[in-house]
Amino acid sequence: MTIAGAHAGAMTGLRRLISTAMARDLTAFVLPGASVARSMGLDLAGSPLRIVGTPRHANLLIVVGPLPPGLRDAAAVTYAQMPRPRAILALGAGDIAPLPDADVSAPLTRAGLRSGLADLRRVIAAGAFRADSGEFNAPALEVRVEYTCPMHPEIVRDAPGDCPKCGMTLVPRETASDGHGGHGGHVMPREDRPNPADHAHAGHAQDAGGSGAYICPMHPEVISDAPGKCPKCGMNLAKAEEVESHGHGHGHGHASHAPSAHGDHAGQDDKAGGSGAYTCPMHPEVISDAPGKCPKCGMNLVKAEEVESHGPGHGHGHGDHGGYGKQQDHSGHDGHAGHGGHSKAAIDGIEPHFMSMVEMTKDQPRSSDGLQMDWIKVPFGPFFPGLPAGLRLTLTLDGDTVAASDATSLVGATDLMDGPQMRVADFVERLATMMPLSPVSYRALACAAIEVAAGVEPDHDARRGRAAAVERERIASHLNWLAEFGLQSGFLWLAARAGALQLAVQGADVAGIATQAGAIRRLSRRVQAAPLMRMRLRRIARIGKDAPASGPVDRARGGGSDARTGDPTLKDLGFEMRVRNGGDALARLRLRCDEIAQSLDVIAAAGRIAVPQVPDVDRVSGEGEARIETPRGTASLRVKLANGKVVEADLDTPTDVNIALVETVTAQQELGDALSAVASLDLSPWEVRG
Amino acid sequence: MSELSQYAILFGLSVGVIGFVLSLFGLARAIGRARSEPGKDVPATAGTLSRDPVWVRYHARYAGYALLFLAFDMEMAFMYPWAVVYREEGLIALLDMGVFLAILFLGLLYGWSQGALRRQ
Amino acid sequence: MSILVVLLSLAAGAYALAVIERWAVHGHLSLTGPAWAALALMGRESLLAHKSDRLFFELGPVLLLVAGLMAVAVIPLAPGLIITDLATGALFLNAALAYVLVALIMAGWGPNGAYAMIAGWRFLGQFIAYAMLIVMPITAVAMRAESLSTVEIVASQAQLWNVLYQPVGFVLFVVAAMGLAWLPPLDLPDATGELAGGVEAEYTGVRLAVLRLARMVIILALAGATVTFYLGGWLGPWLPPWAWSAIKILAVAASMLSVGRYMPRIREARYLALSWKLGISLALANIFVVGVIALVVPI
């Protein structure tokens, strides 16, 4: 017995002991997420596994249900980032390419989980170490090297060469091969960033090196014994002593170093303004009568008049390019164009061409407090603990504040129809399996739409039973959301308790739900009264009254609509639309707790729960539309029947509406608040169809 | 025991801990060395590979608090010896330090009023 | 000799704490759980990110462990049972624990990963919040004891424990200690839901084992400090002093570990604001009040 992700080494005595230890201490990372696993009925928290939030701490990858095509690359990446020995447990997953074959497969049931874990323990204890274990590779992991210009990050080429704008040699940079590495224009081109201690010593090149006498003016850590070209930017290496003042100027734009550098350049500016028609933007002392390349750095020479007052600015511009995650193209030249006229009155004691940091960084994007700092683009998804699985949220972070956000779903937009026509039962089944987080609601929606199209009326009892089933799913979905929210905010008791209650409620009949009702009400009271909860959620993720929204997000701002208000069946059962004021995350939490309580009442009034049945349609044709209030908002489906088969279908989901709110609720928020905000929207990436 | 021997013990303890950690590392290495594979050495970011370096200037929003912290930290350095001789010195010590603390506290209040004590 | 006994009890205490933590987080009590987990971690690959700062990355957990041990070195478990009874014990404890900040920033910067780096800098914000609230209550305690030596501080509580003499200081110190050990609800550096592991995320294998051990040692050191400064150290009737120390330290550590499960994580901006506006004012008032009481009341 062996596992594909075994650690290299022959199985000796000590390793055998360690394999047994690993088999007893299983830490798992769940794909696509624990919330999806719970929705499918698996009780992972109750098993002896420990679920962790990062693949680095896991030795087991659990794939729950069939892996959607959009998540395969991410799954390969996740598996590749797990340290060996690593094993895969596939529960009802089928083909999981590009992952290697699952080490243990089991059906997607609780018994399957138990037997799968038992098998897994045996397999790991026997096969954690193996003398010859293969390497794991996948197309998603390949590295592609692209070449970019240090001064113009938007210039990207596949082969080495020169920058068309300034002539500098392009430097290599690693990126992912699937185009997601196109965080292109604003990522720093340098590969080896010196640690913070070095920043302050950018100019002290001599201290840094041992024997070298030649260093690169822009990269003080590049030291060589002989003259040549800098491997990073292509500039000619300069003698260490000469570079010191340049180093200050080129360092990182520290204002304190500016005067010395400017002093240098200022003196040389006069020379540049004299004879000679062409000069180098970075080295004003280089003067030539003909266009060409600067002998010092390799850049194309430009006409002298353009450069005159830009000399020191360019020096600092280079420093600034040392490594910023910038949003837009604002290469050194553009930025300096704005500085062209800094021929202001000279200040006593300061060099004539002195430029403050504020001036130098005038055209670069600023943070909300006016400072211009480095921004980085960080992905939060698709398998981020606490966020919905399948949602890739890419945040541009300015420190720990979100400057920009981009939310896409990797599991949405699947076709509703798998052919020109579908049997009614197949269509209903397909829609339900497409939405693993709320299958019952979508099943009810499909049945209702088909009934309208076929002109069939379900009887009174069936309608009540169906409404109760939808309400039961609403309770389960809100508890699922509470569990994920607990995980996201560190409220671990809530994560455990809400998850357990969700599993208890999910398949239960009316009597079972009645027994859990007391515990559920206590939970929702306790959540709302938890210490620090108000502080955590107050005024987070506020949306205005005019932003389009659906579901609890909409009704939490003091108004809104609910598709259940027009339904006579629900009115019989005592339904009233619940609303909360505030429009922030706290109001949404409270509203969802209110809705849970109300759904419990409705189910008690209904008396029986009946999963929506596929209607019996003869060979009729027609069109029909139905709307239903899913736990996340209003969904509407339009179907066209021809001869008893479904030929056309069109679905609108609430998440399509709500996902546009991600940008508003995360703007300029601290990272933790931004993630809470996204979590409070209760998005289901499976519903995204846009 | 003398102060010097106490610090010698502490130094020995640190060296011992470092030795212990190094021996643990050696043991782990003997059990099995890490194998480099594609994608494994990229920092984990929830399923998307992000090879961009993140060593950038971080925009810390707590700068106002940090400045006040410096002032108070210097104050605490003075308070340690003061606390040890306090009871011996009596009321005078309380008044002396009370004035110092009051001035610093006024500085804190001023900073608060000027908006230093908030997320920048 | 006493050094060896203290180190052994530290090892036993760290193991007991691991058992308690596992119980608090997962709900089932397993006495051999941490041993298996440690063995398993030793056997896993210890990965290094490809563009990491190797020195900082390696140094982080080691420095954390050294800092924790230095702090434990001045905690008295019984009269005479202490590794080094420094005359400036309380100050030394604070100084040693200041290295926790350095270690976590190194751990955050080292792997060149986004989550870790943000976690490291967030911890710096948390440090600015808790640092004063650790030092000021210690000052008040030293005022009563007329000494910075931890043994003297315990001895000064023979008639009344500091938790009753200076309750405000006790509360401030415990909250600040939880911030120092980054325990929930102040676990900004390794927030699972916000940063998928944060500073701990890039550590695997034996380095992760050292990091976790270091964290247990630091929590024990802080529980020991709380017991020494406020809960009377080894003082108590009937049982021998070392038993009282053990019971008190484990009880404090267990409550520190479990209280965070029942509330969400605090936001960094709120923590800073609360610490500096409410916390510092209370701490200064505490020093003043203790000063007055210490002059008036002879115990």
Side-chain angles (χ1 to χ4, degrees):
Chain A
M1 278 190 284
T2 183
I3 52 179
H7 200 162
M11 194 61 118
T12 61
L14 178 60
R15 291 198 182 120
R16 207 174 290 278
L17 176 65
I18 291 189
S19 309
T20 329
M22 287 177 193
R24 297 183 73 136
D25 179 55
L26 289 174
T27 40
F29 187 79
V30 184
L31 291 184
S35 60
V36 174
R38 274 196 303 269
S39 299
M40 295 184 177
L42 269 187
D43 186 12
L44 287 172
S47 62
L49 289 175
R50 284 192 298 141
I51 311 278
V52 291
T54 168
R56 296 275 196 217
H57 292 170
N59 62 4
L60 174 63
L61 190 69
I62 300 186
V63 184
V64 176
L67 199 58
L71 292 181
R72 284 176 190 260
D73 279 343
V77 167
T78 305
Y79 182 71
Q81 291 182 329
M82 288 168 66
R84 288 178 179 251
R86 51 196 183 193
I88 303 182
L89 172 66
L91 297 172
D95 169 38
I96 52 175
L99 292 174
D101 286 333
D103 298 301
V104 172
S105 289
L108 187 53
T109 59
R110 295 189 193 194
L113 176 65
R114 268 199 307 273
S115 72
L117 285 179
D119 286 340
L120 199 64
R121 286 213 168 87
R122 273 197 306 274
V123 167
I124 289 181
F129 287 86
R130 200 174 57 188
D132 58 340
S133 48
E135 187 185 75
F136 173 67
N137 205 340
L141 304 171
E142 272 159 20
V143 181
R144 196 187 55 173
V145 179
E146 50 186 37
Y147 294 85
T148 181
C149 171
M151 274 181 60
H152 300 108
E154 74 280 8
I155 304 284
V156 172
R157 298 274 180 273
D158 286 327
D162 287 339
C163 172
K165 290 195 183 178
C166 67
M168 281 183 79
T169 314
L170 299 178
V171 298
R173 187 181 78 197
E174 277 184 5
T175 184
S177 59
D178 59 348
H180 285 296
H183 297 163
H186 55 267
V187 171
M188 52 180 281
R190 276 202 227 166
E191 294 182 90
D192 294 86
R193 181 96 174 160
N195 66 33
D198 281 355
H199 283 204
H201 298 300
H204 301 294
Q206 289 166 319
D207 303 337
S211 55
Y214 291 87
I215 56 176
C216 169
M218 269 182 63
H219 301 107
E221 70 276 13
V222 171
I223 302 166
S224 155
D225 287 323
K229 278 195 179 296
C230 171
K232 297 184 187 186
C233 66
M235 288 176 69
N236 295 345
L237 300 179
K239 272 199 175 1
E241 312 86 69
E242 283 176 11
V243 170
E244 192 162 290
S245 52
H246 280 280
H248 281 289
H250 292 301
H252 302 277
H254 287 299
S256 57
H257 293 305
S260 57
H262 284 293
D264 237 351
H265 288 287
Q268 287 151 352
D269 261 349
D270 299 334
K271 275 201 297 190
S275 66
Y278 292 91
T279 181
C280 169
M282 272 179 64
H283 301 104
E285 68 276 14
V286 168
I287 307 158
S288 159
D289 288 323
K293 281 193 176 293
C294 168
K296 293 195 180 191
C297 66
M299 283 180 68
N300 294 342
L301 299 179
V302 296
K303 280 199 186 327
E305 312 83 68
E306 288 170 20
V307 178
E308 194 173 284
S309 48
H310 290 190
H314 280 286
H316 284 278
H318 283 297
D320 291 349
H321 283 290
Y324 290 169
K326 297 186 182 67
Q327 277 298 87
Q328 62 235 36
D329 165 33
H330 59 281
S331 59
H333 290 292
D334 290 349
H336 293 299
H339 301 153
H342 69 266
S343 50
K344 52 186 183 165
I347 305 172
D348 284 335
I350 300 186
E351 299 299 332
H353 292 283
F354 173 71
M355 273 207 300
S356 64
M357 276 297 279
V358 174
E359 262 196 52
M360 266 194 308
T361 59
K362 215 153 55 174
D363 298 314
Q364 291 160 5
R366 296 186 169 279
S367 315
S368 57
D369 62 352
L371 288 177
Q372 184 264 328
M373 293 288 214
D374 301 344
W375 295 2
I376 54 176
K377 208 164 189 184
V378 184
F380 282 86
F383 300 130
F384 194 77
L387 286 183
L391 181 73
R392 173 186 276 153
L393 182 66
T394 309
L395 296 177
T396 304
L397 290 174
D398 160 33
D400 62 353
T401 314
V402 175
S405 67
D406 173 46
T408 52
S409 164
L410 296 179
V411 295
T414 32
D415 291 324
L416 283 174
M417 313 267 302
D418 66 356
Q421 60 177 19
M422 285 178 80
R423 286 180 44 229
V424 163
D426 291 342
F427 176 73
V428 171
E429 219 27 68
R430 187 180 169 84
L431 187 57
T433 41
M434 225 160 62
M435 309 292 184
L437 291 178
S438 46
V440 174
S441 305
Y442 281 94
R443 189 185 296 267
L445 177 65
C447 292
I450 289 175
E451 281 160 4
V452 169
V456 171
E457 274 277 326
D459 68 355
H460 180 69
D461 277 340
R463 269 212 298 265
R464 280 170 83 107
R466 185 185 291 181
V470 172
E471 293 305 309
R472 178 179 68 182
E473 185 174 74
R474 189 180 317 274
I475 298 176
S477 174
H478 285 335
L479 286 173
N480 198 2
W481 176 80
L482 276 173
E484 284 299 292
F485 171 69
L487 183 64
Q488 194 272 323
S489 63
F491 195 166
L492 296 177
W493 169 84
L494 176 64
R497 192 85 185 106
L501 282 173
Q502 177 202 350
L503 285 167
V505 157
Q506 232 165 236
D509 58 356
V510 177
I513 293 183
T515 45
Q516 300 292 339
I520 295 177
R521 287 184 215 270
R522 272 197 302 277
L523 174 86
S524 73
R525 268 201 305 275
R526 203 163 150 182
V527 165
Q528 295 179 66
L532 301 183
M533 185 59 85
R534 273 185 59 178
M535 199 189 291
R536 171 118 198 137
L537 292 181
R538 199 114 179 263
R539 287 192 267 273
I540 301 292
R542 242 206 173 133
I543 53 173
K545 291 243 161 112
D546 47 340
S550 184
V553 179
D554 178 31
R555 295 193 286 278
R557 34 182 195 178
S561 64
D562 190 326
R564 293 173 283 172
T565 42
D567 191 345
T569 323
L570 279 167
K571 203 163 152 165
D572 274 344
L573 294 172
F575 169 78
E576 267 171 17
M577 183 167 90
R578 290 271 195 265
V579 159
R580 280 267 181 182
N581 286 321
D584 58 4
L586 186 62
R588 287 174 215 144
L589 173 81
R590 290 181 172 155
L591 180 63
R592 290 188 181 113
C593 292
D594 288 346
E595 289 192 352
I596 290 179
Q598 181 176 70
S599 297
L600 284 170
D601 293 334
V602 166
I603 291 178
R608 64 179 277 275
I609 294 179
V611 175
Q613 298 295 322
V614 177
D616 211 2
V617 293
D618 302 325
R619 309 171 77 86
V620 293
S621 301
E623 276 192 37
E625 177 167 353
R627 295 170 70 219
I628 198 170
E629 187 72 15
T630 67
R632 291 173 176 82
T634 310
S636 67
L637 176 68
R638 194 179 53 81
V639 293
K640 186 165 173 184
L641 290 176
N643 230 355
K645 302 235 198 271
V646 177
V647 293
E648 235 182 77
D650 192 25
L651 177 67
D652 288 322
T653 58
T655 303
D656 265 337
V657 177
N658 285 342
I659 202 167
L661 294 171
V662 169
E663 186 138 6
T664 6
V665 300
T666 55
Q668 295 304 324
Q669 297 290 320
E670 192 244 327
L671 178 63
D673 295 343
L675 292 174
S676 286
V678 174
S680 78
L681 293 177
D682 196 7
L683 303 169
S684 168
W686 313 81
E687 292 179 359
V688 172
R689 309 199 55 77
Chain B
M1 57 179 92
S2 79
E3 296 283 335
L4 200 55
S5 62
Q6 286 180 331
Y7 283 108
I9 290 177
L10 288 173
F11 181 70
L13 198 59
S14 330
V15 170
V17 162
I18 295 180
F20 169 68
V21 170
L22 287 176
S23 62
L24 276 182
F25 281 11
L27 179 62
R29 204 172 194 201
I31 294 175
R33 303 181 68 158
R35 179 213 185 112
S36 86
E37 292 175 82
K40 196 189 236 181
D41 52 1
V42 179
T45 45
T48 307
L49 276 181
S50 161
R51 296 177 195 270
D52 306 334
V54 295
W55 286 333
V56 297
R57 285 191 303 177
Y58 184 85
H59 191 171
R61 305 272 180 170
Y62 38 78
Y65 293 106
L67 289 174
L68 275 168
F69 168 78
L70 278 179
F72 275 82
D73 215 17
M74 292 299 103
E75 166 204 347
M76 295 320 294
F78 291 120
M79 291 199 67
Y80 276 116
W82 172 82
V84 172
V85 298
Y86 170 74
R87 260 176 144 170
E88 215 178 293
E89 296 293 320
L91 191 59
I92 295 288
L94 180 65
L95 294 174
D96 283 342
M97 192 50 91
V99 168
F100 183 33
L101 287 179
I103 294 176
L104 268 174
F105 190 63
L106 283 175
L108 176 71
L109 290 179
Y110 173 71
W112 187 345
S113 73
Q114 297 295 310
L117 295 188
R118 64 181 164 81
R119 188 178 158 77
Q120 300 298 326
Chain C
M1 192 57 226
S2 64
I3 297 178
L4 201 58
V5 174
V6 175
L7 286 177
L8 284 175
S9 21
L10 173 66
Y15 191 84
L17 212 57
V19 171
I20 292 175
E21 188 194 21
R22 204 165 264 254
W23 184 30
V25 173
H26 294 109
H28 49 269
L29 186 62
S30 142
L31 288 175
T32 53
W36 290 124
L39 268 180
L41 273 180
M42 289 293 292
R44 311 203 39 222
E45 283 183 330
S46 189
L47 300 174
L48 186 64
H50 68 327
K51 297 242 176 81
S52 60
D53 189 323
R54 181 100 194 248
L55 179 65
F56 281 1
F57 187 67
E58 303 273 14
L59 211 49
V62 179
L63 187 58
L64 206 59
L65 186 57
V66 171
L69 239 114
M70 292 291 106
V72 167
V74 292
I75 306 279
L77 296 178
L81 195 61
I82 182 176
I83 295 183
T84 50
D85 181 13
L86 291 174
T88 53
L91 172 58
F92 184 78
L93 184 96
N94 198 28
L97 290 174
Y99 278 95
V100 169
L101 167 73
V102 179
L104 279 190
I105 298 229
M106 283 185 185
W109 183 268
N112 200 0
Y115 298 163
M117 190 188 77
I118 295 175
W121 294 128
R122 285 171 108 191
F123 186 70
L124 179 57
Q126 192 170 304
F127 168 81
I128 291 177
Y130 73 66
M132 283 295 103
L133 297 180
I134 286 234
V135 177
M136 287 183 177
I138 292 182
T139 309
V141 164
M143 279 161 75
R144 183 192 182 194
E146 293 186 75
S147 161
L148 285 173
S149 152
T150 45
V151 175
E152 298 278 327
I153 289 177
V154 173
S156 77
Q157 299 178 58
Q159 293 184 313
L160 182 67
W161 289 0
N162 274 334
V163 65
L164 298 170
Y165 193 106
Q166 323 175 8
V168 173
F170 173 68
V171 171
L172 290 172
F173 184 81
V174 169
V175 173
M178 287 178 68
L180 200 161
W182 74 96
L183 287 166
L186 299 169
D187 63 342
L188 290 166
D190 85 357
T192 301
E194 286 176 20
L195 288 172
V199 284
E200 292 187 10
E202 289 301 320
Y203 285 102
T204 53
V206 66
R207 295 187 187 113
L208 184 63
V210 172
L211 188 65
R212 294 212 169 132
L213 174 66
R215 183 142 187 249
M216 291 294 120
V217 170
I218 287 176
I219 296 176
L220 266 183
L222 284 168
T226 311
V227 164
T228 303
F229 293 148
Y230 289 99
L231 292 174
W234 66 75
L235 298 169
W238 311 315
L239 290 175
W242 53 265
W244 272 123
S245 285
I247 293 174
K248 289 183 197 175
I249 292 180
L250 283 178
V252 170
S255 42
M256 276 182 172
L257 280 174
S258 46
V259 76
R261 285 175 54 77
Y262 299 101
M263 51 185 94
R265 189 174 303 120
I266 195 169
R267 294 161 57 197
E268 181 177 34
R270 290 300 291 160
Y271 183 45
L272 276 165
L274 273 177
S275 283
W276 276 87
K277 294 175 185 173
L278 185 62
I280 297 274
S281 319
L282 283 179
L284 288 174
N286 179 47
I287 289 181
F288 188 75
V289 165
V290 167
V292 167
I293 296 180
L295 287 182
V296 168
V297 177
I299 58 166

